[in-house]
Amino acid sequence: MSAATPGFEEFVAARGPRLLRVAWLLTGDVHLAEDLLQTVLAKVWPKWRRIAADNPEAYVRKALVNTHASWWRRRWRGEVPHDEVPDVTAVPDAFEGIDLEQSLAAAVRRLPGRQRAVVVLRYFEDLSVEDTAEVLGCTAGTVKSQASKALRTLQSLVPRTELVEDGG
């Protein structure tokens, strides 16, 4: 990255961790999340001057959702099988300490792609129905119906007792 893109490095430094969390919630894997975010940032960088003037975080968030959806459609996993297993060193999961029930995270990863995107944008990113619809390129009604279906699925996958602490 060069000095020809003022503000890009600052944006990545400031918003990168939050965008990585979005990518992780979409992919369910820290390494795929890093790949997804890096791919999107590489696509955004040449357009930065045009994007920076408006709402760059919303643009990047939409690019994350769209790129993840295209990966999912192509079943791209970014890995090529080899005959020999390389030496593996343990890499700590950057999200190991995240305050999120593991059962809820697993349940979110089991949702279909569109429902997962709605849940991530609406409930983890706290976007409005309208903003979520804009990111996903659909109507507000579609966001509401997908959210409703996703929440019903999550309720069936994660028993209420796991989500309530001390009977509260």
Side-chain angles (χ1 to χ4, degrees), residues 94-164:
F95 297 99
E96 188 172 61
I98 195 167
D99 186 21
L100 180 66
E101 292 281 340
Q102 290 300 315
S103 57
L104 178 59
V108 169
R109 287 190 296 271
R110 290 178 59 188
L111 292 173
R114 179 69 89 144
Q115 289 179 21
R116 183 186 311 179
V118 167
V119 167
V120 168
L121 295 173
R122 286 280 294 129
Y123 304 108
F124 288 94
E125 284 299 294
D126 201 26
L127 295 184
S128 68
V129 170
E130 294 76 19
D131 289 342
T132 302
E134 184 178 332
V135 168
L136 297 176
C138 63
T139 66
T142 299
V143 169
K144 291 176 185 178
S145 69
Q146 292 294 299
S148 176
K149 289 176 187 176
L151 292 177
R152 275 196 307 273
T153 300
L154 290 174
Q155 286 174 339
S156 71
L157 294 173
V158 182
R160 181 166 167 70
T161 56
E162 289 185 34
L163 297 176
V164 178

Side-chain angles (χ1 to χ4, degrees), residues 12-23:
V12 172
R15 305 309 297 161
R18 184 172 181 101
L19 293 168
L20 183 58
R21 184 183 84 154
V22 171

Side-chain angles (χ1 to χ4, degrees), residues 1-118:
M1 289 174 224
S2 70
T5 55
F8 183 76
E9 291 85 1
E10 292 82 4
F11 171 79
V12 172
R15 305 309 297 161
R18 184 172 181 101
L19 293 168
L20 183 58
R21 184 183 84 154
V22 171
W24 178 75
L25 288 164
L26 289 170
T27 63
D29 177 271
V30 69
H31 301 293
L32 285 176
E34 290 168 347
D35 289 347
L36 176 61
L37 182 57
Q38 185 176 19
T39 298
V40 167
L41 291 175
K43 289 179 184 178
V44 166
W45 179 65
K47 307 172 189 173
W48 183 250
R49 287 183 188 214
R50 180 177 51 88
I51 294 165
D54 192 20
N55 186 350
E57 188 170 355
Y59 187 94
V60 172
R61 192 183 300 118
K62 183 173 185 170
L64 284 169
V65 170
N66 291 340
T67 302
H68 178 257
S70 72
W71 283 5
W72 187 254
R73 280 191 295 270
R74 290 183 298 172
R75 300 286 193 245
W76 181 85
R77 297 294 181 253
E79 297 177 1
V80 178
H82 295 282
D83 290 337
E84 296 180 27
V85 178
D87 291 335
V88 178
T89 57
V91 177
D93 186 345
F95 297 99
E96 188 172 61
I98 195 167
D99 186 21
L100 180 66
E101 292 281 340
Q102 290 300 315
S103 57
L104 178 59
V108 169
R109 287 190 296 271
R110 290 178 59 188
L111 292 173
R114 179 69 89 144
Q115 289 179 21
R116 183 186 311 179
V118 167

